[in-house]
Amino acid sequence: MHLRESTLMAVYAVTGSASGMGAAVVERLLAAGDRVVTVDVAGADVVADLSTPQGRRDATEKVLAACGGRLDGAVLAAGLGPAPGRDRPALITQVNYLGVVELLEGWREALAATGNAKVVVFSSNSTTTMPLIPARAVAALLEGDAERALKAYRIFGKQAPAMAYGASKVAVTRWVRRRAVEPEWVQAGIRLNAIAPGAVLTPLLEKQLATPGEAKAIRSFPVPAGGYGDPGLVADWVIHMLGPAADFMVGSVVVVDGGTDAWFRADDWPRPVPGRRLRGYLRRMREFRKVRA
């Protein structure tokens, strides 16, 4: 069954397509009869290293060439985990944040060309369950200052990669929610949303479980449903978010984590708008009226 009601073949770009959840998404899209332009460091239609500026430019341009300047949707699943290493925070920042933002900005016109495109960005439940993520690093990323973000991780020593991972996912999720409601995205028919998986048994998690220190921390983390998620189940959610059911879905974050977020943060959301936010709330109301005028 095709994702679109049209008989035309839909064309999607998927990063992180060679393994894990990205590969599961590709499998389902192809099974539905759609065309997929895959992007990864190896084993893909577009081979590109998203940890470098040139790699991101290559990925952007080669996908546009492959799709003829029209994309029905995109899935940004490429990402690096918080493995040890001095250079890891920089790599995480480049792939997890810039590897999403720069590609989507470069593909925006191709997505707008179809008038009804869906985009799913891979976030993480670390955005709500990981403590001490430095807010200044998140702010720096959103302001386009990756170097300032890297400086914020240094005080964490060996935990710097974990902090870089958490900050990159918070920043990219906020980027999604901010851009999702901007006229050049939403009024162009682009539905921009995020999915936030928890512990899913991907090659990335398997590698972490093979590292004693990381494995202990992962196994001790609460997952009320028990065990680890399956990449295919997350991919099924992504497919749903690429389909007609997502026409009215804008800037949403779908958490698929076996209950971890609910365990830690059950009373944190939904939360009423506090009085101290009323002025800003009313300002946003006025801004919306101006946009629609």
Side-chain angles (χ1 to χ4, degrees):
M1 178 177 174
H2 289 277
L3 292 175
R4 297 191 303 166
E5 294 177 355
S6 167
T7 57
L8 297 175
M9 178 186 292
V11 182
Y12 296 90
V14 179
T15 71
S17 59
S19 64
M21 292 175 282
V25 170
V26 171
E27 180 182 349
R28 282 153 177 74
L29 288 172
L30 292 175
D34 294 304
R35 182 180 166 217
V36 185
V37 181
T38 58
V39 181
D40 215 312
V41 291
D45 300 318
V46 174
V47 175
D49 182 357
L50 300 184
S51 71
T52 70
Q54 185 60 53
R56 294 191 292 274
R57 285 193 292 270
D58 287 346
T60 300
E61 294 167 4
K62 290 179 180 179
V63 167
L64 290 175
C67 72
R70 291 176 62 88
L71 279 172
D72 293 281
V75 178
L76 286 296
L80 295 178
R86 178 179 247 177
D87 63 343
R88 196 66 174 184
L91 293 173
I92 289 170
T93 299
Q94 297 290 318
V95 176
N96 295 11
Y97 183 72
L98 295 176
V100 173
V101 170
E102 291 183 8
L103 267 61
L104 283 179
E105 289 176 341
W107 294 343
R108 187 183 62 79
E109 290 187 7
L111 291 162
T114 60
N116 185 28
K118 308 295 194 307
V119 175
V120 180
V121 170
F122 269 72
S123 175
S124 166
N125 75 337
S126 65
T127 56
T128 57
T129 63
M130 184 178 178
L132 303 177
I133 293 174
R136 62 187 180 280
V138 174
L141 290 175
L142 288 167
E143 291 167 9
D145 193 340
E147 287 302 315
R148 184 154 57 90
L150 292 176
K151 290 178 182 177
Y153 306 136
R154 290 174 185 164
I155 62 171
F156 293 95
K158 291 182 179 180
Q159 295 305 312
M163 292 301 153
Y165 179 82
S168 72
K169 292 299 186 180
V170 172
V172 81
T173 304
R174 290 187 185 176
W175 184 91
V176 165
R177 286 176 56 75
R178 289 180 182 186
R179 296 297 182 276
V181 295
E182 290 182 351
E184 57 264 38
W185 293 85
V186 67
Q187 290 181 20
I190 305 169
R191 298 297 176 256
L192 184 54
N193 297 288
I195 189 164
V200 177
L201 200 57
T202 61
L204 174 61
L205 181 61
E206 290 173 351
K207 185 176 180 179
Q208 290 177 294
L209 290 172
T211 306
E214 292 183 60
K216 183 178 180 180
I218 292 169
R219 292 193 175 103
S220 66
F221 216 59
V223 182
Y228 304 115
D230 179 77
L233 295 179
V234 177
D236 288 340
W237 273 103
V238 172
I239 296 302
H240 193 64
M241 294 166 72
L242 291 174
D247 283 353
F248 202 55
M249 188 178 190
V250 179
S252 295
V253 182
V254 178
V255 179
V256 185
D257 73 347
T260 301
D261 174 76
W263 177 265
F264 284 113
R265 307 289 295 273
D267 294 331
D268 287 359
W269 188 92
R271 180 176 292 180
V273 179
R276 61 184 172 79
R277 294 284 301 277
L278 183 57
R279 181 176 296 179
Y281 191 86
L282 294 175
R283 175 177 54 79
R284 290 294 282 170
M285 291 283 287
R286 291 192 296 271
E287 289 173 356
F288 183 74
R289 286 197 294 269
K290 289 180 181 178
V291 169
R292 289 295 183 177

